[in-house]
PDB file of all heavy atoms in Angstrom:
ATOM      1  N   LYS L 160     160.955 100.249   3.640  1.00  0.00           N
ATOM      2  CA  LYS L 160     161.554  99.221   2.787  1.00  0.00           C
ATOM      3  C   LYS L 160     161.074  99.376   1.337  1.00  0.00           C
ATOM      4  O   LYS L 160     161.868  99.271   0.407  1.00  0.00           O
ATOM      5  CB  LYS L 160     161.198  97.836   3.324  1.00  0.00           C
ATOM      6  CG  LYS L 160     161.842  96.704   2.567  1.00  0.00           C
ATOM      7  CD  LYS L 160     161.517  95.358   3.217  1.00  0.00           C
ATOM      8  CE  LYS L 160     162.179  94.232   2.448  1.00  0.00           C
ATOM      9  NZ  LYS L 160     161.920  92.934   3.061  1.00  0.00           N
ATOM     10  N   THR L 161     159.805  99.662   1.156  1.00  0.00           N
ATOM     11  CA  THR L 161     159.258  99.867  -0.186  1.00  0.00           C
ATOM     12  C   THR L 161     159.880 101.092  -0.837  1.00  0.00           C
ATOM     13  O   THR L 161     160.241 101.069  -2.018  1.00  0.00           O
ATOM     14  CB  THR L 161     157.725 100.014  -0.130  1.00  0.00           C
ATOM     15  OG1 THR L 161     157.178  98.844   0.475  1.00  0.00           O
ATOM     16  CG2 THR L 161     157.129 100.207  -1.503  1.00  0.00           C
ATOM     17  N   ALA L 162     160.007 102.167  -0.078  1.00  0.00           N
ATOM     18  CA  ALA L 162     160.622 103.394  -0.605  1.00  0.00           C
ATOM     19  C   ALA L 162     162.057 103.133  -1.033  1.00  0.00           C
ATOM     20  O   ALA L 162     162.496 103.600  -2.095  1.00  0.00           O
ATOM     21  CB  ALA L 162     160.559 104.503   0.438  1.00  0.00           C
ATOM     22  N   VAL L 163     162.797 102.372  -0.254  1.00  0.00           N
ATOM     23  CA  VAL L 163     164.195 102.065  -0.578  1.00  0.00           C
ATOM     24  C   VAL L 163     164.275 101.205  -1.840  1.00  0.00           C
ATOM     25  O   VAL L 163     165.081 101.470  -2.733  1.00  0.00           O
ATOM     26  CB  VAL L 163     164.895 101.367   0.613  1.00  0.00           C
ATOM     27  CG1 VAL L 163     166.239 100.791   0.218  1.00  0.00           C
ATOM     28  CG2 VAL L 163     165.048 102.340   1.771  1.00  0.00           C
ATOM     29  N   VAL L 164     163.427 100.190  -1.929  1.00  0.00           N
ATOM     30  CA  VAL L 164     163.417  99.326  -3.121  1.00  0.00           C
ATOM     31  C   VAL L 164     163.076 100.149  -4.359  1.00  0.00           C
ATOM     32  O   VAL L 164     163.711 100.017  -5.403  1.00  0.00           O
ATOM     33  CB  VAL L 164     162.427  98.146  -2.935  1.00  0.00           C
ATOM     34  CG1 VAL L 164     162.165  97.429  -4.249  1.00  0.00           C
ATOM     35  CG2 VAL L 164     162.959  97.173  -1.898  1.00  0.00           C
ATOM     36  N   ASN L 165     162.075 101.007  -4.250  1.00  0.00           N
ATOM     37  CA  ASN L 165     161.682 101.830  -5.398  1.00  0.00           C
ATOM     38  C   ASN L 165     162.766 102.827  -5.778  1.00  0.00           C
ATOM     39  O   ASN L 165     163.002 103.071  -6.968  1.00  0.00           O
ATOM     40  CB  ASN L 165     160.371 102.553  -5.115  1.00  0.00           C
ATOM     41  CG  ASN L 165     159.202 101.600  -5.123  1.00  0.00           C
ATOM     42  OD1 ASN L 165     159.240 100.551  -5.746  1.00  0.00           O
ATOM     43  ND2 ASN L 165     158.153 101.975  -4.420  1.00  0.00           N
ATOM     44  N   ALA L 166     163.431 103.409  -4.789  1.00  0.00           N
ATOM     45  CA  ALA L 166     164.536 104.326  -5.082  1.00  0.00           C
ATOM     46  C   ALA L 166     165.652 103.581  -5.808  1.00  0.00           C
ATOM     47  O   ALA L 166     166.249 104.107  -6.756  1.00  0.00           O
ATOM     48  CB  ALA L 166     165.052 104.958  -3.793  1.00  0.00           C
ATOM     49  N   ARG L 167     165.907 102.343  -5.404  1.00  0.00           N
ATOM     50  CA  ARG L 167     166.925 101.530  -6.072  1.00  0.00           C
ATOM     51  C   ARG L 167     166.511 101.247  -7.517  1.00  0.00           C
ATOM     52  O   ARG L 167     167.323 101.344  -8.442  1.00  0.00           O
ATOM     53  CB  ARG L 167     167.155 100.230  -5.314  1.00  0.00           C
ATOM     54  CG  ARG L 167     168.319  99.420  -5.880  1.00  0.00           C
ATOM     55  CD  ARG L 167     168.633  98.147  -5.091  1.00  0.00           C
ATOM     56  NE  ARG L 167     168.713  98.387  -3.658  1.00  0.00           N
ATOM     57  CZ  ARG L 167     167.901  97.828  -2.746  1.00  0.00           C
ATOM     58  NH1 ARG L 167     166.946  96.993  -3.116  1.00  0.00           N
ATOM     59  NH2 ARG L 167     168.043  98.090  -1.465  1.00  0.00           N
ATOM     60  N   ARG L 168     165.240 100.903  -7.715  1.00  0.00           N
ATOM     61  CA  ARG L 168     164.734 100.637  -9.071  1.00  0.00           C
ATOM     62  C   ARG L 168     164.887 101.865  -9.958  1.00  0.00           C
ATOM     63  O   ARG L 168     165.259 101.761 -11.126  1.00  0.00           O
ATOM     64  CB  ARG L 168     163.269 100.212  -9.022  1.00  0.00           C
ATOM     65  CG  ARG L 168     163.068  98.844  -8.382  1.00  0.00           C
ATOM     66  CD  ARG L 168     161.619  98.563  -8.104  1.00  0.00           C
ATOM     67  NE  ARG L 168     160.907  98.158  -9.308  1.00  0.00           N
ATOM     68  CZ  ARG L 168     159.588  98.046  -9.364  1.00  0.00           C
ATOM     69  NH1 ARG L 168     158.842  98.312  -8.318  1.00  0.00           N
ATOM     70  NH2 ARG L 168     159.020  97.665 -10.477  1.00  0.00           N
ATOM     71  N   LEU L 169     164.586 103.032  -9.404  1.00  0.00           N
ATOM     72  CA  LEU L 169     164.760 104.261 -10.168  1.00  0.00           C
ATOM     73  C   LEU L 169     166.233 104.501 -10.495  1.00  0.00           C
ATOM     74  O   LEU L 169     166.572 104.904 -11.602  1.00  0.00           O
ATOM     75  CB  LEU L 169     164.182 105.461  -9.407  1.00  0.00           C
ATOM     76  CG  LEU L 169     162.671 105.537  -9.352  1.00  0.00           C
ATOM     77  CD1 LEU L 169     162.230 106.651  -8.403  1.00  0.00           C
ATOM     78  CD2 LEU L 169     162.082 105.738 -10.732  1.00  0.00           C
ATOM     79  N   GLY L 170     167.102 104.243  -9.532  1.00  0.00           N
ATOM     80  CA  GLY L 170     168.536 104.401  -9.760  1.00  0.00           C
ATOM     81  C   GLY L 170     169.049 103.489 -10.849  1.00  0.00           C
ATOM     82  O   GLY L 170     169.917 103.867 -11.645  1.00  0.00           O
ATOM     83  N   GLU L 171     168.516 102.285 -10.909  1.00  0.00           N
ATOM     84  CA  GLU L 171     168.935 101.320 -11.933  1.00  0.00           C
ATOM     85  C   GLU L 171     168.450 101.706 -13.319  1.00  0.00           C
ATOM     86  O   GLU L 171     168.967 101.214 -14.316  1.00  0.00           O
ATOM     87  CB  GLU L 171     168.408  99.928 -11.572  1.00  0.00           C
ATOM     88  CG  GLU L 171     169.077  99.331 -10.358  1.00  0.00           C
ATOM     89  CD  GLU L 171     168.375  98.090  -9.820  1.00  0.00           C
ATOM     90  OE1 GLU L 171     167.292  97.728 -10.344  1.00  0.00           O
ATOM     91  OE2 GLU L 171     168.903  97.492  -8.862  1.00  0.00           O
TER      92      GLU L 171
END
Side-chain angles (χ1 to χ4, degrees):
K160 184 176 180 178
T161 302
V163 169
V164 167
N165 288 335
R167 187 177 312 118
R168 292 169 78 190
L169 287 172
E171 291 168 355

